[in-house]
Amino acid sequence: MSAQTADLVGGAGGVDKLVVRRAPLGRVLRSELRMVLRRPRTLVGLGLLGLVPVVMGIGIAIATASGETGEGDAMAALVMGNGMLLPIFALSVAVVMLLPLTGAMLAADALAGESSHGTLRGMLMAPVGRGRLLAVKAFGVAAVTLLAVVLMAVTGMITGVLLLGGDGMLTASGTSLPFGEALGRVAITVVYVALQVWALAAVALAVSAFTEHPLIVVVVTLGLVIVSGVLSAIPALDWIDPVLVTTSWDAVGEIIRDPIAWSPLVDGALRAACYMLIGGSIAYSRMLTRDG
């Protein structure tokens, strides 16, 4: 992918001048997005994520038909007969591991994967700004992770309405929301979950800038998720919760309350923004000094 082209043009006195023309940013972004979406593992991952709400909906429908409601999660019990809640439930489950794994894999391919195939060195030697190159790679990661979240929401809504029924949403507070408001709650969930995945993907992108082994990026990123979960489960370490990347992942449950408790969601969004800023800054500083 070349973001710039060089042409020789005749100047005054027959002297040729080298004119560097920068490719339009939109074309570069489309090229990066096409490249990411053409990878078989990306398509397989998106397909599997799209099936997650379908499998959940089938399982809940079977449990409802047989009367085996069980003593499971409160949100899972609320989904029965409340189809518009299925995408929110599916995203709240996927944000714990499946979506972070997707973001880590995409970030690993973005830099470490290119380096392992020897293509990153050519990109760094080309007349392309390194900040621009990193921004394009980050765009590819962010766009596909957002696509994954939206895909889960769409398949969840379709499955929920067809299998579980309901033309609105019954909230955890006992109130009923019409279809339009229920759709708005799903949209809020999509935005919030995407922010949390972007935060972890930014950390993975920073790790990816320091290595040429994609597997290391995935292991380190998932290790961060596991360690954060363990630390947050220890009462004596409550003081460290505000800086853990996983602290606000369970705030998705606030979206199904009426009215919505915005404080945990805003805190989670700000924490995600901080992680994106830190991860992006580290990746950029590394890209400035990297030669291959």
Side-chain angles (χ1 to χ4, degrees):
M1 175 187 61
S2 176
Q4 293 175 333
T5 59
D7 297 324
L8 285 175
V9 298
V15 179
D16 291 336
K17 294 187 298 182
L18 183 65
V19 178
V20 178
R21 296 178 181 176
R22 181 179 297 233
L25 181 60
R27 190 174 72 185
V28 176
L29 295 178
R30 288 194 300 270
S31 175
E32 176 68 18
L33 189 57
R34 283 196 301 268
M35 184 184 68
V36 176
L37 290 176
R38 285 175 180 172
R39 293 172 181 155
R41 57 182 172 273
T42 301
L43 297 177
V44 171
L46 289 175
L48 292 176
L49 287 174
L51 286 176
V52 169
V54 178
V55 174
M56 288 183 173
I58 293 174
I60 294 174
I62 293 174
T64 303
S66 62
E68 298 176 359
T69 57
E71 298 289 338
D73 184 85
M75 188 183 296
L78 191 60
V79 172
M80 298 179 182
N82 192 13
M84 285 298 292
L85 196 60
L86 180 61
I88 300 179
F89 174 56
L91 288 174
S92 70
V93 173
V95 76
V96 176
M97 186 58 68
L98 294 179
L99 288 172
L101 177 60
T102 301
M105 291 176 61
L106 291 169
D109 284 335
L111 295 178
E114 296 280 8
S115 180
S116 65
H117 289 94
T119 53
L120 184 61
R121 179 180 294 272
M123 294 179 184
L124 294 176
M125 294 177 64
V128 181
R130 297 193 174 198
R132 180 181 168 97
L133 175 61
L134 179 62
V136 170
K137 291 297 183 182
F139 168 80
V141 175
V144 178
T145 52
L146 177 60
L147 177 61
V149 175
V150 172
L151 180 62
M152 290 190 66
V154 171
T155 57
M157 284 189 293
I158 295 174
T159 304
V161 171
L162 292 180
L163 295 183
L164 303 178
D167 56 356
M169 179 184 294
L170 177 65
T171 68
S173 303
T175 59
S176 297
L177 302 177
F179 181 81
E181 291 189 28
L183 195 60
R185 297 294 180 97
V186 175
I188 294 173
T189 306
V190 167
V191 173
Y192 184 77
V193 171
L195 284 174
Q196 303 308 311
V197 180
W198 286 348
L200 195 65
V203 176
L205 199 63
V207 178
S208 186
F210 283 87
T211 181
E212 59 181 23
H213 302 289
L215 184 59
I216 292 179
V217 180
V218 176
V219 170
V220 171
T221 306
L222 295 185
L224 173 64
V225 173
I226 295 172
V227 171
S228 297
V230 171
L231 292 178
S232 63
I234 302 176
L237 298 178
D238 287 346
W239 55 272
I240 204 174
D241 282 352
V243 300
L244 297 178
V245 69
T246 60
T247 295
S248 298
W249 286 4
D250 58 354
V252 176
E254 303 296 335
I255 299 176
I256 65 172
R257 303 186 185 279
D258 190 26
I260 298 176
W262 288 103
S263 180
L265 297 176
V266 172
D267 289 345
L270 292 176
R271 185 177 295 106
C274 290
Y275 268 95
M276 283 187 279
L277 179 61
I278 294 172
S281 300
I282 294 175
Y284 179 65
S285 65
R286 172 58 178 162
M287 289 293 288
L288 290 178
T289 59
R290 185 164 185 168
D291 58 359

